[in-house]
Amino acid sequence: MQQSSLFSEFEIQCRNKFPSTRYQGCKAKFTDWIWHEMSSIPFHTALDAFGGTGSVAYTLKSNGKSVTYNDILPFNAIIGKAIIENASTFLSDSEVDFLLREHSGFEYPTFIVDNFKDIYYTEEENHWLDVVRYNISILQEEYKRAIAWFALFQACIIKRPYNLFHRKNLYVRLMDVKRSFGNKKTWDTSFETHFRTFVREANNAVFDNGEDCYVLNMDALKVDNRYDLVYIDTPYINEKGVGVDYADFYHFLNGLVYYDNWNNLIDYSSKHHRLKRQYNIWSDKENILNGFSRLIEHFQNSILVFSYRSNGIPSIESLIGLLENYGRHNKLRYSRDIKYALSDTKSKEVLIISYPK
């Protein structure tokens, strides 16, 4: 009983330290509800198969689970390194000062300055990005580097209209007009100020829960089937058949990771220099149900927890039918009504908790 009481205090201390983010689709505001619905399930090892911001993986870590975070996008996997796998490494103020200075004797590349003029950031900001990205790359310690990357990614997101990279729209930031959306003060705050803020938030998120936690960067269907529980929050297709393509929305962040090969990855026919598109079953409304079927079969021995929306494609009824075809026992849990940014449609967040036969 004493151990349980102490752990409860530890859990409360950790939960409030998850860093802020404006990443689209982040489940941070639902993690208390999600954990409430999952807390009575007997499990120890957990896979967050489509990890995204890491908010659910972080909640599982905060509650003493051995968590494996997976995401197919490289920049997301680095975020997982910083706050899920990392148990004890922090980035110091002196190291931050080093990262934010332009050092004589370094031959800084200029890819962003040369290729992204008037697309996302000002010329001065593009230069800053070239410099700081290079400085991060020469940090020796993996987790320190991951924290720095995390801060850079979040700073890039927060200075973007809509917090996305889906359009060439720097002009939205720079126009001198009355605005009905966005936060011009946030956009105009310097990269350095945002970077320092997000380093502090990442440092505050680091803790050791006494269990081994891991990060993977791969197709969820190729992850080993060895977990007590698999949490599944795939990209979402709404009732109109419009999907969320995170690789497209955040291509610039993956470009930063692939900096030395960025030139070969860009689709230069696009005005905003996105990366060349690759097929994604999770944004294909004609084939997504097959993706779910493959997931269920692949992780057939695990408890599955699907995070979904009441108005998604495929329908909840279709998913339940699919699970029942595999002989699984299923429970449905509904959240309150929600309205997402950039959407005029209300829906409910849904958990499908599915037990193997």
Side-chain angles (χ1 to χ4, degrees):
M1 290 295 293
Q2 184 178 8
Q3 183 179 8
S4 176
S5 176
L6 287 172
F7 185 75
S8 179
E9 293 173 8
F10 166 75
E11 172 189 337
I12 292 169
Q13 290 170 1
C14 290
R15 182 169 293 164
N16 294 329
K17 294 182 181 179
F18 183 76
S20 62
T21 181
R22 298 194 181 189
Y23 191 95
Q24 182 159 331
C26 179
K27 286 294 191 293
K29 62 185 176 182
F30 292 105
T31 53
D32 285 346
W33 171 70
I34 291 171
W35 174 247
H36 172 75
E37 299 297 342
M38 294 171 61
S39 59
S40 61
I41 301 172
F43 71 100
H44 178 65
T45 60
L47 169 68
D48 187 350
F50 299 81
T53 61
S55 60
V56 172
Y58 191 84
T59 298
L60 295 172
K61 180 180 178 181
S62 297
N63 285 282
K65 305 303 181 182
S66 175
V67 184
T68 297
Y69 165 107
N70 177 66
D71 200 283
I72 199 168
L73 299 181
F75 84 91
N76 273 340
I78 292 172
I79 290 173
K81 282 279 182 185
I83 62 175
I84 306 299
E85 187 175 290
N86 179 16
S88 60
T89 300
F90 306 90
L91 197 60
S92 70
D93 289 343
S94 62
E95 287 164 330
V96 173
D97 291 340
F98 169 83
L99 293 173
L100 297 179
R101 286 199 304 269
E102 189 168 354
H103 303 278
S104 60
F106 286 9
E107 189 174 340
Y108 288 102
T110 59
F111 186 82
I112 299 172
V113 167
D114 295 340
N115 291 278
F116 286 91
K117 180 179 174 61
D118 298 328
I119 296 181
Y120 301 125
Y121 305 108
T122 66
E123 288 191 59
E124 180 183 359
E125 290 168 343
N126 285 337
H127 174 73
W128 185 93
L129 287 167
D130 278 323
V131 168
V132 172
R133 187 230 58 95
Y134 181 83
N135 288 343
I136 291 172
S137 72
I138 63 177
L139 275 179
Q140 294 300 305
E141 213 285 338
E142 179 183 27
Y143 295 124
K144 290 180 183 289
R145 205 163 54 242
I147 291 172
W149 276 119
F150 170 87
L152 184 62
F153 297 150
Q154 299 302 328
C156 285
I157 290 171
I158 204 170
K159 283 177 68 68
R160 290 287 305 134
Y162 307 103
N163 310 121
L164 301 173
F165 298 87
H166 63 318
R167 295 175 187 160
K168 178 182 178 179
N169 59 359
L170 174 62
Y171 68 90
V172 173
R173 270 183 55 191
L174 304 181
M175 286 189 304
D176 185 15
V177 295
K178 185 176 180 180
R179 301 171 189 276
S180 60
F181 77 96
N183 187 335
K184 190 171 187 336
K185 181 178 179 181
T186 299
W187 296 340
D188 291 345
T189 299
S190 71
F191 260 117
E192 177 172 340
T193 298
H194 285 311
F195 186 91
R196 290 183 184 276
T197 296
F198 286 118
V199 167
R200 286 193 296 271
E201 291 191 11
N203 279 339
N204 287 337
V206 174
F207 74 98
D208 186 352
N209 75 343
E211 299 288 343
D212 292 329
C213 295
Y214 307 96
V215 167
L216 301 174
N217 173 211
M218 59 194 301
D219 182 341
L221 290 164
K222 296 180 180 177
V223 178
D224 287 345
N225 177 18
R226 59 181 180 84
Y227 300 93
D228 300 332
L229 181 145
V230 180
Y231 174 77
I232 298 168
D233 182 17
T234 65
Y236 169 67
I237 298 179
N238 67 21
E239 72 276 12
K240 298 177 182 178
V242 178
V244 177
D245 190 337
Y246 292 104
D248 241 22
F249 281 177
Y250 298 104
H251 64 90
F252 186 82
L253 306 183
N254 278 332
L256 288 169
V257 176
Y258 290 135
Y259 191 95
D260 292 337
N261 193 39
W262 203 345
N263 182 58
N264 297 318
L265 301 176
I266 288 178
D267 174 6
Y268 283 103
S269 68
S270 63
K271 293 181 180 179
H272 59 299
H273 288 184
R274 69 183 177 215
L275 300 188
K276 296 170 186 172
R277 284 179 168 163
Q278 297 181 348
Y279 176 74
N280 178 9
I281 196 171
W282 305 109
S283 59
D284 179 355
K285 67 179 181 179
E286 305 299 331
N287 204 27
I288 190 171
L289 193 61
N290 178 50
F292 279 110
S293 179
R294 291 168 62 193
L295 268 180
I296 295 165
E297 183 173 7
H298 184 67
F299 294 113
Q300 59 184 310
N301 299 322
S302 301
I303 299 166
L304 304 180
V305 178
F306 293 89
S307 193
Y308 208 61
R309 297 219 202 136
S310 57
N311 59 343
I313 292 176
S315 67
I316 291 172
E317 292 75 17
S318 295
L319 284 179
I320 292 293
L322 191 61
L323 289 161
E324 289 176 347
N325 288 342
Y326 284 89
R328 301 181 68 93
H329 174 64
N330 310 294
K331 297 180 180 179
L332 277 177
R333 298 290 185 267
Y334 290 87
S335 76
R336 65 188 185 278
D337 285 335
I338 50 174
K339 184 176 182 298
Y340 285 88
L342 305 185
S343 171
D344 58 2
T345 303
K346 283 188 177 181
S347 64
K348 289 181 183 291
E349 193 74 16
V350 182
L351 285 184
I352 304 173
I353 302 172
S354 180
Y355 297 87
K357 59 182 179 181

